[in-house]
Amino acid sequence: MKHGFLDQYSDRDSFIHRLDPRTKFIISFLFILVVVLTPPDSWLVYMLYAALMAGLLLVGKLPAGYVLKRSLIIMPFVLLIALFIPFFKEGEVAGSYNMWLWQVTVTYSGLQVLVNIVIKSWLSILSLIWLTSTTKLPHLLRGLEKVRLPRVMVMILSFMYRYLFIVVDEAMRMKQARDSRNFGGGRRWQVTTIGNMIGTLFIRSYERGERVYVAMAARGFDGHIRTLNHLSFRVADAYFGIGGILVLTLISLFTFLF
Amino acid sequence: MHIPDGFLNITTVATTYVVSAGGVGNAVRVANRKLSEKQVPLMGVLAAFIFAAQMLNFPIAGGTSGHVIGAALAAILLGPWAAVLVMSCVLIAQSLIFQDGGLLALGANIFNMGIIASFAGYYGYRLVNSLLGSSRRGKLVGSAFGAWSSVLLASIACAIELALSGASPIGVVLPAMAGVHALIGIGEGLITAAVLSLVMATRADLMQLQRI
């Protein structure tokens, strides 16, 4: 089956693609940090952040349609959590509704918080899309190892990345087989079916993990992974890193001016 | 239950990061001490397994569907610390690759669905085992109870974090989250028990893996 969802476009070539993964990770993290720290009513500052992110995505040669689609996929889940908010903030009442047993009140300050949180989430999501769409995952993992993510986790993550496609394929094939056999029936039957599927998937994954280890041991694996690509900071990284931090500081200073 | 960025305030972000870093750091120490290099590829493949298992949706009600978290299953099969490691890797990958759960909220998400869910699942299972005995029935009931409590406690932790961040008052978000997840947890519990029932029937030896 086809998986277009993992680090697509990360093999393109651009100024951003050539940067060290650590530089991009740090800038992306700082971007999210300053966005989250922005007070609710600084609309101008949000626009500046959005413009900055648009610029970064443009320099990274990422298609706007792709980025937009990716960022919107996750928004329903954000809204699901955010929907609680406008009803329960105190303040000027925007509207009051009778829903079954509850008297529900929507307030303006609640709505403002809702819009504010959705904007923050969306900008943060764009930042992560920018990071992972311009960085190959193995490189990103090496970068994370260099910024002190424990080695055993980096190794688990790299094995996970390598076998994800295969295991997801297996799961999707089971799902296809299930659906083509008219999945339905009573609740009990459904639970048993899903349980059997996940159980089978577990046993197959476990056996695959054992085979993988045996194959690796046969090739001399001793618990260390050696690679040829070594990360190194270049002059461009220094310019981009310092420039990025300066711009982010400047924009966040705007918060106090307006 | 994946919290996106923007919901948590900076105090909650910092606190959950510190707590999760401590928990995951200890899981790494335990794994380095007790696991051989053989376990690392295995845990990687099992992380991919949890990821894939979360993609298998089942219908709940009114056209919505849900999926399992899998922390309890991982904890029962591999032990709570190994489950913390596997779940943390799954959550990191979900945040970075799918933007499912934020980067700043990663500490909170690892705390809820990694640490709380794994330990609740494991000790819920052990508790029932010690009450009913570790017969087949004890294991199935225990895994269902463990999985249910893992979902419920994770959602309660999530609600408390949201409330502390001022996103919603505790009196509203806590009963809402806990109520919804007490129901979702039933699905997780039944499916986890069904998974273990299959594993016991076909590869009973996998129930006796080294647990950490």
Side-chain angles (χ1 to χ4, degrees):
Chain A
M1 288 181 198
K2 190 170 167 283
H3 303 290
F5 53 74
L6 288 180
D7 57 3
Q8 210 182 352
Y9 296 109
S10 62
D11 52 353
R12 292 198 165 182
D13 187 38
S14 78
F15 172 72
I16 304 283
H17 283 78
R18 284 191 296 272
L19 288 172
D20 188 286
R22 285 167 287 181
T23 319
K24 284 183 273 188
F25 180 76
I26 290 166
I27 291 294
S28 180
F29 190 90
L30 286 177
F31 181 87
I32 299 176
L33 188 68
V34 289
V35 165
V36 168
L37 282 175
T38 311
D41 51 351
S42 336
W43 302 114
L44 179 74
V45 178
Y46 284 118
M47 276 188 259
L48 287 174
Y49 284 132
L52 175 66
M53 188 37 67
L56 285 174
L57 291 165
L58 208 67
V59 180
K61 291 186 185 159
L62 298 174
Y66 162 78
V67 174
L68 213 59
K69 216 174 92 193
R70 277 282 302 266
S71 68
L72 291 183
I73 290 175
I74 202 71
M75 285 319 273
F77 300 100
V78 175
L79 287 174
L80 203 66
I81 302 186
L83 271 180
F84 282 121
I85 299 162
F87 302 107
F88 308 112
K89 281 274 168 192
E90 283 152 29
E92 199 186 335
V93 175
S96 183
Y97 311 94
N98 242 326
M99 272 164 57
W100 195 36
L101 289 177
W102 290 288
Q103 176 76 16
V104 175
T105 324
V106 179
T107 59
Y108 282 113
S109 62
L111 280 177
Q112 194 193 28
V113 174
L114 170 75
V115 172
N116 178 55
I117 282 185
V118 170
I119 291 177
K120 281 181 179 175
S121 303
W122 189 61
L123 284 174
S124 312
I125 287 167
L126 287 181
S127 171
L128 283 177
I129 293 180
W130 172 74
L131 171 69
T132 43
S133 299
T134 58
T135 317
K136 289 194 183 103
L137 206 69
H139 290 188
L140 184 60
L141 290 179
R142 277 195 68 76
L144 287 179
E145 186 177 4
K146 286 273 166 30
V147 293
R148 303 263 168 243
L149 187 69
R151 254 205 25 186
V152 58
M153 286 182 80
V154 174
M155 280 169 64
I156 293 178
L157 276 165
S158 3
F159 281 109
M160 179 185 174
Y161 174 66
R162 192 156 305 166
Y163 290 99
L164 193 61
F165 303 94
I166 298 172
V167 179
V168 167
D169 250 10
E170 208 144 341
M172 290 297 123
R173 275 201 304 274
M174 283 184 195
K175 202 173 153 181
Q176 206 170 50
R178 176 194 76 182
D179 293 341
S180 60
R181 282 165 182 75
N182 243 339
F183 180 54
R187 189 96 338 161
R188 201 189 156 86
W189 174 250
Q190 288 180 357
V191 165
T192 318
T193 310
I194 303 265
N196 287 349
M197 285 165 73
I198 295 181
T200 309
L201 195 64
F202 168 72
I203 292 172
R204 286 189 191 164
S205 307
Y206 181 86
E207 288 171 350
R208 185 182 300 281
E210 275 185 326
R211 282 201 305 279
V212 168
Y213 171 70
V214 171
M216 287 170 65
R219 287 159 181 79
F221 178 64
D222 59 354
H224 296 270
I225 291 183
R226 300 168 180 83
T227 55
L228 284 176
N229 60 17
H230 294 288
L231 299 179
S232 59
F233 284 118
R234 291 171 308 126
V235 187
D237 287 300
Y239 284 137
F240 184 81
I242 295 169
I245 291 173
L246 275 178
V247 171
L248 287 177
T249 321
L250 270 178
I251 300 181
S252 54
L253 283 180
F254 259 67
T255 317
F256 302 108
L257 294 175
F258 297 97
Chain B
M1 214 190 301
H2 293 70
I3 306 175
D5 280 328
F7 285 79
L8 300 179
N9 66 8
I10 212 71
T11 328
T12 314
V13 165
T15 318
T16 49
Y17 250 94
V18 169
V19 174
S20 292
V24 173
N26 195 51
V28 168
R29 263 193 302 282
V30 174
N32 282 341
R33 200 171 63 234
K34 290 196 180 160
L35 293 184
S36 62
E37 88 256 4
K38 180 187 170 182
Q39 310 280 346
V40 175
L42 189 64
M43 281 167 70
V45 178
L46 291 182
F49 153 73
I50 296 280
F51 195 102
Q54 292 193 355
M55 295 175 96
L56 296 171
N57 287 357
F58 53 90
I60 297 180
T64 57
S65 66
H67 64 76
V68 295
I69 300 178
L73 182 63
I76 292 166
L77 290 165
L78 306 170
W81 290 113
V84 168
L85 271 186
V86 168
M87 288 307 292
S88 303
C89 289
V90 170
L91 290 165
I92 290 174
Q94 281 172 335
S95 170
L96 287 179
I97 304 171
F98 294 96
Q99 292 77 48
D100 195 4
L103 188 59
L104 285 187
L106 190 57
N109 285 329
I110 288 183
F111 180 69
N112 303 341
M113 281 176 281
I115 299 175
I116 297 260
S118 298
F119 277 91
Y122 185 71
Y123 285 104
Y125 172 73
R126 291 283 301 270
L127 179 74
V128 174
N129 264 352
S130 62
L131 291 178
L132 294 182
S134 52
S135 59
R136 186 182 135 85
R137 185 165 144 264
K139 279 180 181 153
L140 292 184
V141 175
S143 63
F145 176 72
W148 177 78
S149 40
S150 79
V151 174
L152 184 67
L153 289 178
S155 78
I156 289 175
C158 175
I160 291 175
E161 285 148 15
L162 288 174
L164 285 177
S165 302
S168 199
I170 184 97
V172 172
V173 73
L174 185 64
M177 285 289 276
V180 168
H181 285 91
L183 290 178
I184 295 181
I186 296 176
E188 175 108 11
L190 291 178
I191 289 173
T192 306
V195 171
L196 286 190
S197 150
L198 181 98
V199 172
M200 277 189 269
T202 50
R203 283 284 306 263
D205 57 312
L206 295 188
M207 293 296 293
Q208 265 96 45
L209 294 176
Q210 181 197 5
R211 297 202 182 106
I212 60 164

